[in-house]
């Protein structure tokens, strides 16, 4: 409390104003919940935890869910977090990353939520960046990050410029035209929005569960901002799920496809034919990518069986029938010709021989 001395009324008023602002800030100080799912990360979890310990001047808790690790992750977790009250660790039976994050969400008590993967880590100035951005009232705050490839830190990831755009215009640019909100990490979410709308990760999904979560969150939001300062290092994992997935991932991809459309429609945004073609072309390229990855993993017979099983899907057919044909490359047109005519065996042979 400020000491009141003999002074004129204007100075007294100023002191009272400063006092009021001071205590308002104290009362409004928010708590951050950092959520980390971990599985068999004994070589990385120490670096991740140590990076969080550098955060100062923020009221935070860090909830780490060990998803049934079979290595020394749990022992190392206990060692690195021993006698540190901000850290809450829990060991569970393996149920997948989405289940682990959902359990952490149920345990969380923060006003804001930040997700982090166990093999990534916060950068040295993350504490200052978080402190400044915790005060903003935007429903979603998106941070840039530094990519790390083979131990080498690369340039910052740059998001598209959304300056001057309305919320719905920004969503179109970020979720349809560029599709750059596919990860839950590197973002500040409001816990209130997540819990009031019962938004959770889809534990049945193996691919795209992050994107679906973010899109469902955006449906219940009305504002976002991009902070062009890197918050974390993102370790590019060549063995990650996206790089190993094949046509079996198309079911999950359809869920994210529908989530993108539903996000805009629920916000009363009219989706033009041109915008749908942009979206469909993106997913057609994903189909091609999965076809190619499967051709590297399997023989012709297995590829043929997978194509028959996964391409014969109503939603996939809708996507393929609404493509911007004039914009397709020769390879895209050729593969589309084989798929539309159901020349699946020839397609499997061609992929194996020529790609």
């Amino acid at each position: 409390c400020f000491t009141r001395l003999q002074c004129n009324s204007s100075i007294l008023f100023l002191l009272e104003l400063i006092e009021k602002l001071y205590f308002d800030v104290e009362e409004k100080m928010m708590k951050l919940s950092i959520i980390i799912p971990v599985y068999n990360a004994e070589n990385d979890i120490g670096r991740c935890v140590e990076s969080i310990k550098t955060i100062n001047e923020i009221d935070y808790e860090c909830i780490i869910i060990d998803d049934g690790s079979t290595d020394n992750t749990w022992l190392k977790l206990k060692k690195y977090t021993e006698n540190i009250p901000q850290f809450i660790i829990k060991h569970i039976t393996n149920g997948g990353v989405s289940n682990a994050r959902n359990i952490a969400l149920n345990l969380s008590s923060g006003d804001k939520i930040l997700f982090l993967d166990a093999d990534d880590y916060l950068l040295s100035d993350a504490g200052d960046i978080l402190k400044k951005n915790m005060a903003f009232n935007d429903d979603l705050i998106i941070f840039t990050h530094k990519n790390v490839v083979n131990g080498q830190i690369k340039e910052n990831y740059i998001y598209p410029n959304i300056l001057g755009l309305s919320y719905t215009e920004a969503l179109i640019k970020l979720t349809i035209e560029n599709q750059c909100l596919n990860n839950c990490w590197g973002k500040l979410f409001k816990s209130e929005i997540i819990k009031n709308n019962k938004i959770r990760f889809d534990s049945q999904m193996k691919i795209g569960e992050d994107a679906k979560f973010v899109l469902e969150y955006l449906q219940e939001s009305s504002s976002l901002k991009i902070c062009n300062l890197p918050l974390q290092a993102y370790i590019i994992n060549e063995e990650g799920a996206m790089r190993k997935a094949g046509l079996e991932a198309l079911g999950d991809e359809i869920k994210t496809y529908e989530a993108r459309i539903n996000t805009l429609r629920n916000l009363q945004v009219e989706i033009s034919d041109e915008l749908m073609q942009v979206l469909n072309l993106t997913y057609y390229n994903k189909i091609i990518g999965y076809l190619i990855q499967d051709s590297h993993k399997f023989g012709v017979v297995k590829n043929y069986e997978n194509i028959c099983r996964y391409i014969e899907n109503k939603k996939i057919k809708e996507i393929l029938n609404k493509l911007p044909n004039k914009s397709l490359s020769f390879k895209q047109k050729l593969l589309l010709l084989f798929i539309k005519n159901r020349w699946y065996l020839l397609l499997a042979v061609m992929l194996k021989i020529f790609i």
Side-chain angles (χ1 to χ4, degrees):
C1 183
F2 294 98
T3 302
R4 289 181 174 80
L5 305 174
Q6 289 184 342
C7 52
N8 61 38
S9 59
S10 61
I11 295 177
L12 181 59
F13 172 78
L14 181 59
L15 287 172
E16 289 176 339
L17 178 61
I18 293 173
E19 182 178 14
K20 181 178 184 302
L21 290 173
Y22 175 82
F23 284 109
D24 279 351
V25 169
E26 288 295 296
E27 289 171 4
K28 293 178 181 178
M29 184 174 288
M30 292 189 177
K31 182 177 182 180
L32 174 65
S33 293
I34 303 172
I35 290 176
I36 306 173
V38 56
Y39 176 74
N40 286 356
E42 62 179 356
N43 296 324
D44 300 313
I45 193 59
R47 179 181 58 190
C48 181
V49 169
E50 291 299 325
S51 74
I52 294 168
K53 291 180 183 178
T54 64
I55 296 176
N56 295 312
E57 300 181 31
I58 292 180
D59 181 16
Y60 78 90
E61 65 182 5
C62 180
I63 305 172
I64 306 177
I65 306 297
D66 180 9
D67 188 32
S69 294
T70 57
D71 61 1
N72 292 317
T73 294
W74 179 245
L75 293 176
K76 291 200 171 185
L77 260 181
K78 291 194 289 185
K79 173 186 173 183
Y80 283 112
T81 63
E82 188 176 11
N83 297 324
I84 305 177
Q86 291 97 327
F87 285 84
I88 302 168
I89 62 174
K90 185 178 180 65
H91 182 83
I92 63 172
T93 302
N94 181 259
V97 63
S98 292
N99 178 62
R101 286 179 178 143
N102 289 339
I103 289 174
L105 282 172
N106 293 337
L107 294 173
S108 66
S109 61
D111 302 286
K112 299 286 183 78
I113 303 288
L114 177 73
F115 295 100
L116 185 65
D117 286 347
D119 55 346
D120 301 332
Y121 57 93
L122 298 180
L123 297 173
S124 58
D125 54 352
D128 291 335
I129 294 171
L130 286 169
K131 180 182 177 182
K132 292 174 183 176
N133 283 275
M134 286 283 287
F136 294 119
N137 195 41
D138 301 86
D139 291 339
L140 182 67
I141 300 177
I142 305 162
F143 301 98
T144 59
H145 61 270
K146 289 185 179 291
N147 290 324
V148 179
V149 182
N150 297 323
Q152 299 295 314
I153 297 180
K154 304 297 182 180
E155 68 282 350
N156 296 354
Y157 178 86
I158 304 298
Y159 283 98
N161 183 15
I162 60 170
L163 192 63
L165 298 182
S166 68
Y167 179 64
T168 54
E169 288 171 338
L171 285 190
I172 289 172
K173 193 164 191 175
L174 296 173
T175 67
I176 303 294
E177 295 176 354
N178 293 277
Q179 294 197 20
C180 54
L181 299 183
N182 293 331
N183 302 303
C184 65
W185 46 261
K187 300 170 181 65
L188 270 183
F189 298 87
K190 284 185 177 179
S191 177
E192 176 184 33
I193 292 177
I194 292 174
K195 294 185 176 181
N196 287 351
N197 295 283
K198 299 180 180 179
I199 302 169
R200 292 294 186 270
F201 291 89
D202 188 336
S203 59
Q204 301 302 311
M205 296 177 70
K206 303 298 182 186
I207 296 292
E209 67 278 5
D210 283 30
K212 186 169 179 282
F213 178 89
V214 174
L215 290 163
E216 290 178 353
Y217 180 88
L218 290 170
Q219 290 181 38
E220 308 299 335
S221 306
S222 59
S223 64
L224 62 82
K225 74 182 285 280
I226 293 176
C227 174
N228 289 309
L229 294 172
L231 185 72
Q232 70 171 77
Y234 168 58
I235 311 299
I236 295 180
N237 181 7
E238 296 299 331
E239 298 298 319
M242 286 297 294
R243 289 171 172 79
K244 294 188 292 185
L247 289 175
E248 76 281 355
L250 288 182
D252 289 346
E253 293 287 8
I254 289 172
K255 287 185 178 182
T256 65
Y257 174 88
E258 292 176 332
R260 294 180 197 281
I261 296 172
N262 291 337
T263 297
L264 296 180
R265 285 180 176 166
N266 289 346
L267 293 169
Q268 309 301 312
V269 178
E270 183 177 349
I271 306 175
S272 65
D273 290 341
E274 182 181 359
L275 200 58
M276 282 301 302
Q277 288 185 347
V278 170
L279 179 61
N280 289 344
L281 180 57
T282 300
Y283 277 82
Y284 176 47
N285 286 331
K286 291 184 179 185
I287 293 170
I288 292 175
Y290 291 140
L291 282 168
I292 292 172
Q293 287 183 172
D294 272 1
S295 71
H296 292 158
K297 291 187 294 185
F298 307 120
V300 171
V301 174
K302 179 65 174 178
N303 279 336
Y304 169 67
E305 292 173 350
N306 282 345
I307 293 170
C308 292
R309 179 179 179 184
Y310 295 111
I311 296 296
E312 287 292 319
N313 177 289
K314 182 180 178 181
K315 186 60 66 175
I316 296 296
K317 296 292 185 182
E318 289 178 12
I319 292 172
L320 297 178
N321 285 328
K322 295 179 181 178
L323 290 170
N325 292 318
K326 293 182 180 179
S327 302
L328 298 181
S329 67
F330 173 76
K331 182 177 79 171
Q332 290 171 325
K333 289 179 180 178
L334 181 62
L335 292 175
L336 184 61
L337 177 68
F338 276 70
I339 294 172
K340 281 192 169 183
N341 285 284
R342 302 178 71 186
W343 299 338
Y344 297 153
L345 182 57
L346 287 175
L347 177 59
V349 172
M350 182 183 71
L351 287 168
K352 196 64 180 177
I353 295 175
F354 297 107
I355 296 180

